[in-house]
Amino acid sequence: MAHIFSFWESRAFYDSFMARSHDRLAAAQAGTYKNIQVGLFDYRFDVKTGFEPRFTDADVVRVAHCKVREGRVEHFSLMQEKVWNPAMAGSPGMLRGVFGEAPGNEFLVLSMWQSAAEHGKYRAERVERLSLRAQTDADVAGLSGAVVQLDPSWTV
């Protein structure tokens, strides 16, 4: 399984790429994969500060795709900003991240870490306590995610 993250300067640049170059590139990749899922998320805010789509100093990315219950979007976003972000920002080894939103109450939290070990320390020590404080079970209808080991040869 591969995860590919792309960051666009603006929606206009993304739309231009989709209208011009995408089909040619996709045709060249035909038969190289079995299944693909694509999501487009709009930037809401940084996790920590100063997000940059730079991967050279990170070894892993934690990606969490959340489907939020109807009527809980405001609370979920507030808890991300007031509970989860400060906890991640204060964790040694957490470099930066981004919080994005898609139509249909979908959100993506992408956090970059120096190593899987550093992310593991954060996870083991804090996630259950933070989840209770943020009332995550009341907000989130579905959650999927992964800790993705970065391959520098895939960075462009």
Side-chain angles (χ1 to χ4, degrees), residues 28-73:
Q29 295 174 348
T32 62
Y33 56 88
K34 290 183 181 180
N35 185 8
I36 189 168
Q37 295 178 352
V38 177
L40 184 61
F41 293 83
D42 291 324
Y43 170 86
R44 287 280 306 267
F45 49 79
D46 291 343
V47 176
K48 206 166 183 175
T49 58
F51 179 78
E52 299 173 37
R54 179 175 41 89
F55 292 85
T56 55
D57 57 345
D59 284 339
V60 296
V61 170
R62 165 64 172 142
V63 59
H65 179 220
C66 306
K67 178 74 172 163
V68 176
R69 297 179 202 287
E70 197 69 40
R72 299 294 295 189
V73 168

Side-chain angles (χ1 to χ4, degrees), residues 5-18 40 53:
F5 307 106
S6 61
F7 300 88
W8 295 89
E9 187 174 315
S10 70
R11 181 62 187 252
F13 283 125
Y14 171 80
D15 290 342
S16 175
F17 168 77
M18 293 304 288
L40 184 61

Side-chain angles (χ1 to χ4, degrees), residues 63-120:
V63 59
H65 179 220
C66 306
K67 178 74 172 163
V68 176
R69 297 179 202 287
E70 197 69 40
R72 299 294 295 189
V73 168
E74 275 189 52
H75 183 265
F76 175 78
S77 298
L78 182 65
M79 292 300 100
Q80 182 64 43
E81 191 173 8
K82 302 294 184 189
V83 175
W84 292 102
N85 284 5
M88 280 193 281
S91 295
M94 195 282 188
L95 302 170
R96 62 192 161 279
V98 66
F99 180 73
E101 181 177 8
N105 299 341
E106 289 188 55
F107 294 86
L108 189 75
V109 183
L110 186 143
S111 56
M112 301 171 78
W113 297 80
Q114 287 176 338
S115 69
E118 291 297 335
H119 177 262

